[in-house]
Amino acid sequence: QVQLVESGGGLVQPGGSLRLSCAASGIIFSINAMAWYRQAPGKQRELVAAISTGGTTDYTDSVKGRFTISRDNAKNTMYLQMNSLKPEDTAVYYCNSRRARFDWGQGTQVTVSS
């Protein structure tokens, strides 16, 4: 059974940083391109950052230069380092494969507010 568990969210002031983690089980993590997604209130879920099996990364324009996606295949874990956070980054953040093949987890709430 595939399980994706996101953690690391919280309340942070504008300009602050957070590091999200995604722990995967029930899949061969290393052969899956993975991604972080987010869904803000009243908006559709959007892809934020993706990482290939070989470590190539891609980001949506609004987070380029501020967010860094990484993965540790030995730990079946993916990360999202978020710096210079803005109020518009407020959302529930989810992880999934690059093609969103797996059931969605609970996500982790990120709130950027002063």
Side-chain angles (χ1 to χ4, degrees):
Q1 182 180 356
V2 177
Q3 189 172 20
L4 301 170
V5 180
E6 303 92 348
S7 62
L11 173 64
V12 64
Q13 292 186 343
S17 297
L18 285 172
R19 188 192 195 206
L20 306 185
S21 297
C22 168
S25 60
I27 63 172
I28 304 176
F29 184 75
S30 62
I31 67 170
N32 282 278
M34 298 294 294
W36 284 97
Y37 302 78
R38 67 185 179 188
Q39 186 167 20
K43 295 187 177 181
Q44 288 190 329
R45 189 174 289 159
E46 65 169 341
L47 189 146
V48 174
I51 185 165
S52 72
T53 56
T56 300
T57 59
D58 191 23
Y59 301 90
T60 191
D61 286 346
S62 62
V63 308
K64 284 181 180 177
R66 300 189 297 122
F67 291 11
T68 302
I69 188 172
S70 61
R71 64 191 298 163
D72 185 336
N73 290 336
K75 296 182 178 179
N76 283 5
T77 302
M78 179 175 66
Y79 305 97
L80 186 67
Q81 178 67 44
M82 306 187 296
N83 298 328
S84 302
L85 282 161
K86 303 176 181 181
E88 51 263 43
D89 295 318
T90 295
V92 179
Y93 284 71
Y94 302 88
C95 63
N96 209 312
S97 70
R98 178 62 181 85
R99 298 185 178 182
R101 293 174 51 218
F102 306 121
D103 290 341
W104 295 98
Q106 294 296 311
T108 186
Q109 175 71 48
V110 172
T111 303
V112 185
S113 175
S114 56

